[in-house]
Amino acid sequence: MKNYKKTIMILLTVAVLLIAVFAAGRYGWKLLCFRACEDAGVESVEVSETAVRIKGFYPGSFPEGFCGYYAEEQEGTLYVGFNFSTVFGFFETGDFDVTIPVKGEIQQVVLKTKRMETSIWTADTGEAAATE
């Protein structure tokens, strides 16, 4: 009976550790803000008074799963970054369709990664810039 309880405790500990590792991989990157964001292919950007909707995909050849986005609104500009993971590529695709709530009027949407910033929508043109 004593070994049975030990075995169950070991299995539960391993299960909790695996869940923690997957949760950190899925959501922990947000602690790094835009430093952990990757380039993304943007298909469309729709801006309304209360939200910005962005559709896109992972631009690489090896499938990586979409983990989430990070967004900051500053003086009429919405900075957005996306994260993908190879581990989650087995479970889901890199395609995404996100709706980001905004507080003010948006004049520009910028895709931001650790290394660069790319304007993907401006109010002047009203169209999404082509990115791949």
Side-chain angles (χ1 to χ4, degrees), residues 9-11 15 20 27 30 45 56 59 91 95 111 114 116 122 127:
M9 288 304 292
I10 289 172
L11 289 175
Y27 303 106
K30 286 190 176 189
V45 179
F91 305 113
D95 297 338
L111 177 63
K114 181 179 182 177
M116 66 179 187
T122 60
E127 295 180 3

Side-chain angles (χ1 to χ4, degrees), residues 61-131:
S61 59
F62 188 78
E64 293 200 14
F66 175 66
C67 285
Y69 70 89
Y70 182 80
E72 284 183 11
E73 186 178 343
Q74 295 177 356
E75 300 174 3
T77 300
L78 179 68
Y79 294 94
V80 64
F82 299 98
N83 190 273
F84 303 90
S85 172
T86 305
V87 173
F88 296 105
F90 296 108
F91 305 113
E92 55 190 65
T93 68
D95 297 338
F96 59 88
D97 184 355
V98 297
T99 302
I100 304 165
V102 294
K103 296 176 184 166
E105 184 179 347
I106 299 298
Q107 299 297 318
Q108 182 178 19
V109 179
V110 175
L111 177 63
K112 187 172 181 177
T113 66
K114 181 179 182 177
R115 297 182 183 158
M116 66 179 187
E117 293 182 7
T118 307
S119 178
I120 57 174
W121 184 89
T122 60
D124 298 336
T125 62
E127 295 180 3
T131 61

